[in-house]
Amino acid sequence: MTKIAEAPSAFQDRSLLTYDLLCDAAEEALREGRLALCTIQEVAARARRSPGSIYRRFGDKERMIVAVIERYLEKT
């Protein structure tokens, strides 16, 4: 199993807001029941952010989904 590198932490309020918007958008796409719908481009469009903001915060789709799952588990 590959080890997933830690995403850089978000220190600024604006960065935290973007992080939450991206996670919310990814969670929404996942809740619609289709992992295939949860693409970098789709999440960026839903969050009204650029795909580059996803790559900066998460690195790739896998880490983005892991972050969404971890955030969900923290809430429950």
Side-chain angles (χ1 to χ4, degrees):
M1 186 160 92
T2 60
K3 183 177 178 183
I4 298 175
E6 292 286 326
S9 59
F11 293 107
Q12 297 178 347
D13 290 340
R14 186 180 58 184
S15 185
L16 289 170
L17 174 65
T18 298
Y19 181 86
D20 284 338
L21 287 171
L22 294 171
C23 284
D24 289 345
E27 186 176 339
E28 180 183 302
L30 289 169
R31 282 192 177 171
E32 290 178 6
R34 299 187 316 188
L35 184 59
L37 182 63
C38 192
T39 64
I40 298 290
Q41 292 76 19
E42 179 64 26
V43 171
R46 287 174 185 244
R48 296 184 178 152
R49 297 294 188 263
S50 70
S53 64
I54 295 173
Y55 289 111
R56 275 191 299 281
R57 281 164 184 78
F58 305 109
D60 60 17
K61 178 180 173 178
E62 180 180 336
R63 288 188 223 152
M64 176 183 67
I65 292 172
V66 168
V68 170
I69 292 169
E70 287 175 348
R71 189 177 82 142
Y72 176 79
L73 292 174
E74 286 176 7
K75 289 180 183 179
T76 58

